[in-house]
């Protein structure tokens, strides 16, 4: 993970002039007010961000939709904003904190225009990203996810199952995750409809294997049988 600092990027004259006028809005701290501020700054900078929407919830703020996920901007304090690029469910592709809303709009614009994670960090050093996010961008995230799970102390008691599945030549190519001590293998990361197989350890050394879609469910009496059954489930999917 790259280092995180609270800082700002260089502000253009247009951005410096635009922001104070919008900040005078008594509703500027609300999600709708923040969305208006972002729209005003983008207009002053000549950026086309498309629709900027207010967002509610614990991380209330504003968001910009792109064809590579959403860029969310949330106020942390009166002067600091959190920017998060949400390209995949479960974790941010990149995040950072800055006291410069013009810089936050610059982040949204660069991502909207197709900038890479490295370009994002080079232009806005306060934006950090993980090895897994980079692996997604490079097109092969499964090996990094396997490495994270196999080295995680959180999943230490389930490491035997992870190790056995990773050692299987037909299973290690799939996207892994753990939930309630069951191993989940997905053909396409974060997309269960592409083909999701679960291996559940049961009592007395038995295992349950299920598959989505299709509603497949079977119990077997050994780990090796469960792994072979899981591999067979994936082989039965169309275009596998």
């Amino acid at each position: 993970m790259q280092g995180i600092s609270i800082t700002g990027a260089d502000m253009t004259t247009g951005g410096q002039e635009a922001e104070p006028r919008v900040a005078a809005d008594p509703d500027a701290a609300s999600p709708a007010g923040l969305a208006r501020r972002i729209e005003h700054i983008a207009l002053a900078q000549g950026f086309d961000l498309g629709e900027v929407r207010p967002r509610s919830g614990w991380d209330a703020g504003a968001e910009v939709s792109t064809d590579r996920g959403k860029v969310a901007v949330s106020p942390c304090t009166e002067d600091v904003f959190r920017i998060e690029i949400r390209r995949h469910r479960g974790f941010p592709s990149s995040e950072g904190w800055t006291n410069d809303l013009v810089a936050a709009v610059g982040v949204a614009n660069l991502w909207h225009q197709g900038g890479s994670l490295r370009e994002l960090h080079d232009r806005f050093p306060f934006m950090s990203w993980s090895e897994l996010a980079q692996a997604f961008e490079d097109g092969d995230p499964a090996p990094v996810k396997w490495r994270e799970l196999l080295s995680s102390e959180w999943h230490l008691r389930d490491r035997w199952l992870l190790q056995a599945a990773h050692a299987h030549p037909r299973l290690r190519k799939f996207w892994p995750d753990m939930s309630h001590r069951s191993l989940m293998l997905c053909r396409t990361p974060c997309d269960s409809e592409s083909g999701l197989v679960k291996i559940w350890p049961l009592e007395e050394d038995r295992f349950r294997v299920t598959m989505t879609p299709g509603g497949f469910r079977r119990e077997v009496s050994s780990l090796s049988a469960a792994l072979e059954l899981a591999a067979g489930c994936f082989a039965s999917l169309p275009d596998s």
Side-chain angles (χ1 to χ4, degrees), residues 179-234:
S179 177
H180 299 90
R181 304 205 65 188
S182 68
L183 172 62
M184 301 185 298
L185 299 171
C186 198
R187 188 161 63 169
T188 301
C190 308
D191 180 10
S192 60
E193 292 304 311
S194 69
L196 172 65
V197 175
K198 292 186 180 181
I199 302 175
W200 305 72
L202 305 175
E203 296 179 352
E204 299 179 354
D205 295 324
R206 293 188 62 80
F207 296 83
R208 179 183 301 137
V209 178
T210 64
M211 181 177 69
T212 303
F216 177 86
R217 175 190 176 106
R218 183 178 300 171
E219 292 186 9
V220 294
S221 58
S222 70
L223 176 55
S224 60
L227 297 176
E228 288 301 323
L229 185 57
C233 285
F234 281 115

